[in-house]
Amino acid sequence: MGAERHVKLFRNGRNQAVRIPVEFELPGDEAIMRREGDRLIIEPAVQKTNLLEWLQSLEPLDEEFPELDERGPPPKDFEL
């Protein structure tokens, strides 16, 4: 199990609330909360990004790729 910390619950108007300690802060300004049995799960809301933004966020690969025959194998139903 990961880090754990005892926190106090309090009222904020009609809502029950908890302060999130700095070591558990989530990115962004929205989160998703769901109940699983007696547990409350709070996760960062997934930011929708387009494919180009996602690709730009990836780290470059540091591995060599094998040399390939440019033609590749013929299709199985191909006749010469």
Side-chain angles (χ1 to χ4, degrees):
M1 187 190 259
E4 188 173 285
R5 183 152 170 201
H6 192 104
V7 295
K8 296 223 179 227
L9 301 175
F10 62 96
R11 302 290 316 169
N12 183 8
R14 293 182 46 193
N15 296 313
Q16 187 178 43
V18 61
R19 283 190 180 86
I20 298 175
V22 68
E23 64 266 25
F24 296 113
E25 282 185 6
L26 299 172
D29 57 4
E30 292 187 25
I32 305 296
M33 181 185 294
R34 71 176 182 280
R35 182 182 295 271
E36 290 184 3
D38 290 340
R39 294 174 179 250
L40 289 178
I41 310 296
I42 303 173
E43 300 175 315
V46 177
Q47 298 293 326
K48 293 181 180 173
T49 58
N50 65 34
L51 180 58
L52 184 57
E53 289 172 344
W54 180 76
L55 290 171
Q56 289 172 337
S57 74
L58 297 177
E59 294 293 323
L61 296 175
D62 266 353
E63 57 189 78
E64 295 289 324
F65 289 95
E67 292 295 323
L68 300 175
D69 180 1
E70 299 232 359
R71 294 177 300 151
K76 291 183 181 185
D77 61 348
F78 182 77
E79 293 181 26
L80 290 176

